[in-house]
Amino acid sequence: KYMTVANLANAMGKSVDHVFEVMMYVDNTVDYDKSTSVIDSLQVIQEIVKKSGMRARTVSPPDLSDPERINKDATKWPPPDPSVLVKRPPVVTVMGHVDHGKTTLLDSLRNTSVVKSEFGGITQHIGAFSVKLQSGETVTFLDTPGHAAFTAMRARGAKVTDLVVLVVAADDGVMEQTVESIRMAKAEAVPIIIAINKIDKQEADIEHTKDMLLPHGIQVEDRGGDVQAIPISALNGTNLDTLTEAIVLQAELMNLKGDPRGRVEGVVVESRTDLHRGKLSTAIVQRGMLQKGTVLVAGLAWAKVRAMFNDRGQPIQQAPPSTPVEVLGWRELPSAGDEIIEVESEKRAHEVMKWRQSVKLTEKQEAEREAVECKIEEHLKVYKTQLETRRRLGRYKLRPTGPREKEIKDDIGPRVSVIVKGDVDGSVEAILDVLETYDGDSVCKLDVVHYGVGNVSETDVELATAFKAIIYCFNVNTPDKITELAKSNKISIRSHNIIYKMVDDLKKEINSQLPLMD
Ligand code: GDP
């Protein structure tokens, strides 16, 4: 657990050989010969990291307040004048506990929309779809149910959901993910409409389900609150029109508007590669009018729109705000949640990509550098504890290395040599503390030849063989391979998990070494 050559190599993500190579330039006065050799100078460690080109202090992170940055990254147009805004459909995410019927509800909604649609056509799963109601209103649904969609979007800072339909099965009531969904929607200040599902089931208890929502801050209309709750059967299609009407009503209250002019802005909701059509992504337009030829950037991808399709796979010429649209023409695939911004030319798109890549690279280097520094600090902390313990251990004639013969010459008499292994620093220290109380001047000498944290290793057995030591281990395991090795070397490994029993064992061992008195 020292910062060994191997530790450092690991922390830097480099090979041991690499570290040795660099070390020759840094500090050739010390003889590091094994990957387990300890490098005990922070300065040397830092030099090695630096010489490996990893200490990137000189590379400062991009200055996000840099006014130049505005010109390098894609920019949105200033907020539009309210007078030019027009009504737009709401964008809805369906959330709820697993198995409460989110997928069934989305399927039923999509199917009814196809039947009612003037276009007809086959439903396509493109990540979002629109439902046209008899009243002429339109509602757009995100097609990926649950938290995944919501969090993917939020993770990238995109706010695409206007309202959440929270599906609660009437036979099951409020469950863990129901509560989680409520929390997420509230955190984003997105209004909720409750769909009490599976009312066709015998066990369905609509009233109880409403009551269960109360402690979670959801007060439905007939409980004195203002949250709409619609009893439905997603499976049978019961009351789906009431649900969509409730959505439209809520949307009207929210007075949702968009700007159909100006530079296009939107959010990627899904990306995929089609065998025949190539790279495709589904976008929800939030501003402007998307059309053929528009140049877009999203994350680290850009596109010149070659063609667009609606959720029924039919080609369309224009996509206004709140419309889900499949876009063809991406050079790379953007990720779900990426913000889409229109730029004026392909040349600008290239500039933006270059800028964003450099920002990303710097961030990555910065993160890597921090990770290395963190690890080094951790290792040094452990190492310092070890040094301290070793200092205290000085009182016991510690002989960590050196040939046994030499020691026997200058120190004849009965002795017990031990190696101590423990599960944590604390336990090793506690054992060393107990050993410290053993009288070093007694007839039999106690030698701690080695100690450490972790399982018994091959090195431990090697040391034990060289010193004819007994290995005492506390709360650690001994791999079968090591047990075998110890056996063939006639080394005794004593495992304990109670300190005083371990000490008793040790005392017995010492007594057995004492010359018989007559
Ligand atoms: P999800 O995990 O929330 O997407 O739930 P699913 O839509 O996969 O539905 C889970 C199970 O509940 C499936 O077996 C559905 O057939 C069933 N289910 C969904 N809605 C209803 C409903 O309204 N009534 C009944 N009886 N079963 C339903």
Side-chain angles (χ1 to χ4, degrees):
K1 270 264 191 144
Y2 301 114
M3 183 102 206
T4 61
V5 173
N7 291 151
L8 181 59
N10 189 31
M12 295 198 303
K14 300 265 185 192
S15 71
V16 170
D17 284 343
H18 167 89
V19 176
F20 277 128
E21 218 178 315
V22 183
M23 239 155 39
M24 292 205 302
Y25 294 100
V26 175
D27 180 14
N28 57 11
T29 60
V30 187
D31 197 10
Y32 304 100
D33 56 348
K34 278 193 282 186
S35 64
T36 49
S37 301
V38 173
I39 316 170
D40 59 4
S41 147
L42 175 61
Q43 214 187 340
V44 171
I45 291 170
Q46 283 176 335
E47 270 299 299
I48 294 169
V49 175
K50 198 168 160 188
K51 285 242 173 358
S52 309
M54 295 192 71
R55 197 173 166 74
R57 269 240 185 277
T58 43
V59 188
S60 48
D63 180 5
L64 297 184
S65 61
D66 172 12
E68 286 252 314
R69 177 177 184 271
I70 307 273
N71 299 324
K72 289 172 186 160
D73 205 350
T75 44
K76 298 177 178 179
W77 273 18
D81 188 298
S83 66
V84 302
L85 296 179
V86 296
K87 192 174 161 186
R88 64 169 178 87
V91 179
V92 179
T93 297
V94 174
M95 298 181 85
H97 194 70
V98 63
D99 278 347
H100 278 200
K102 299 178 290 290
T103 313
T104 310
L105 175 60
L106 283 165
D107 283 345
S108 300
L109 288 165
R110 197 190 296 102
N111 292 337
T112 45
S113 85
V114 172
V115 175
K116 284 179 189 165
S117 151
E118 58 208 86
F119 306 112
I122 303 154
T123 40
Q124 313 268 319
H125 276 271
I126 65 164
F129 63 92
S130 287
V131 175
K132 196 147 192 182
L133 310 183
Q134 263 155 353
S135 59
E137 305 276 349
T138 304
V139 178
T140 296
F141 288 93
L142 291 186
D143 207 350
T144 336
H147 304 163
F150 207 75
T151 33
M153 299 289 158
R154 287 308 304 162
R156 291 182 171 78
K159 187 172 189 313
V160 69
T161 302
D162 295 310
L163 59 100
V164 161
V165 166
L166 179 61
V167 179
V168 191
D171 56 341
D172 220 9
V174 171
M175 301 296 279
E176 196 187 327
Q177 284 158 288
T178 318
V179 177
E180 220 169 87
S181 307
I182 294 172
R183 203 169 35 76
M184 289 168 93
K186 286 200 165 173
E188 297 304 322
V190 176
I192 298 174
I193 291 174
I194 306 291
I196 302 180
N197 193 27
K198 308 199 184 182
I199 54 165
D200 57 294
K201 288 183 98 169
Q202 279 257 281
E203 309 88 316
D205 189 341
I206 299 173
E207 296 311 309
H208 181 59
T209 305
K210 288 177 182 171
D211 288 337
M212 282 179 88
L213 287 162
L214 282 170
H216 303 286
I218 299 289
Q219 215 171 352
V220 302
E221 280 171 338
D222 58 9
R223 295 288 187 279
D226 54 6
V227 177
Q228 302 186 74
I230 318 296
I232 61 161
S233 166
L235 195 64
N236 300 339
T238 316
N239 262 353
L240 294 195
D241 41 1
T242 318
L243 178 63
T244 43
E245 277 160 25
I247 293 169
V248 169
L249 180 68
Q250 181 66 44
E252 250 149 38
L253 288 174
M254 294 167 77
N255 195 19
L256 298 172
K257 290 193 166 170
D259 176 13
R261 317 164 322 148
R263 207 168 261 178
V264 171
E265 289 166 24
V267 175
V268 176
V269 293
E270 199 176 285
S271 271
R272 70 186 183 287
T273 306
D274 183 275
L275 203 57
H276 305 292
R277 296 187 293 165
K279 296 188 174 75
L280 283 168
S281 85
T282 301
I284 298 226
V285 177
Q286 294 179 308
R287 186 182 188 181
M289 193 68 78
L290 185 60
Q291 42 204 345
K292 236 167 102 172
T294 310
V295 182
L296 304 172
V297 295
L300 292 175
W302 73 277
K304 180 163 185 175
V305 180
R306 268 200 288 135
M308 298 189 300
F309 304 90
N310 67 10
D311 50 359
R312 286 167 209 94
Q314 297 155 326
I316 52 172
Q317 300 306 316
Q318 285 194 321
S322 288
T323 318
V325 56
E326 231 181 354
V327 176
L328 203 68
W330 292 95
R331 310 303 153 109
E332 298 293 329
L333 273 185
S335 310
D338 278 344
E339 186 179 49
I340 296 173
I341 300 178
E342 176 183 351
V343 292
E344 57 266 34
S345 64
E346 284 182 42
K347 186 167 160 277
R348 269 296 288 146
H350 284 296
E351 276 171 21
V352 170
M353 289 302 103
K354 233 170 139 182
W355 164 254
R356 289 186 178 181
Q357 268 151 9
S358 79
V359 169
K360 198 172 166 140
L361 191 71
T362 329
E363 279 170 358
K364 205 172 138 219
Q365 283 172 342
E366 194 66 10
E368 274 170 7
R369 187 185 59 72
E370 263 168 37
V372 168
E373 276 185 0
C374 243
K375 279 189 187 165
I376 289 175
E377 231 160 68
E378 229 169 76
H379 282 296
L380 278 179
K381 226 167 38 200
V382 173
Y383 183 54
K384 270 188 202 140
T385 321
Q386 295 265 350
L387 273 184
E388 172 61 16
T389 320
R390 186 179 265 194
R391 192 186 55 72
R392 290 169 49 189
L393 212 74
R395 273 168 267 178
Y396 299 101
K397 308 191 171 80
L398 175 76
R399 294 178 190 85
T401 51
R404 172 79 178 153
E405 291 75 16
K406 187 175 156 270
E407 298 192 1
I408 286 176
K409 251 187 240 159
D410 54 48
D411 207 356
I412 302 167
R415 74 169 60 237
V416 173
S417 296
V418 297
I419 288 176
V420 177
K421 296 296 295 249
D423 52 344
V424 288
D425 271 326
S427 65
V428 175
E429 274 185 58
I431 295 162
L432 295 176
D433 275 342
V434 177
L435 297 187
E436 205 167 354
T437 61
Y438 173 75
D439 183 7
D441 291 333
S442 109
V443 189
C444 178
K445 295 255 184 302
L446 173 65
D447 258 4
V448 181
V449 295
H450 179 68
Y451 65 93
V453 173
N455 288 350
V456 180
S457 68
E458 220 171 295
T459 319
D460 295 331
V461 178
E462 278 166 17
L463 278 173
T465 314
F467 284 93
K468 300 201 166 50
I470 301 165
I471 300 177
Y472 279 94
C473 46
F474 184 77
N475 272 347
V476 297
N477 296 318
T478 308
D480 290 346
K481 209 180 84 201
I482 302 296
T483 312
E484 286 300 310
L485 183 69
K487 216 187 243 168
S488 63
N489 284 335
K490 300 202 174 57
I491 294 301
S492 165
I493 299 180
R494 317 262 173 95
S495 295
H496 288 276
N497 43 28
I498 298 169
I499 288 191
Y500 77 82
K501 284 205 174 148
M502 184 164 188
V503 173
D504 273 355
D505 183 344
L506 192 66
K507 276 186 189 154
K508 265 187 216 138
E509 191 58 45
I510 290 169
N511 285 334
S512 75
Q513 298 289 321
L514 292 176
L516 288 172
M517 308 266 218
D518 33 36

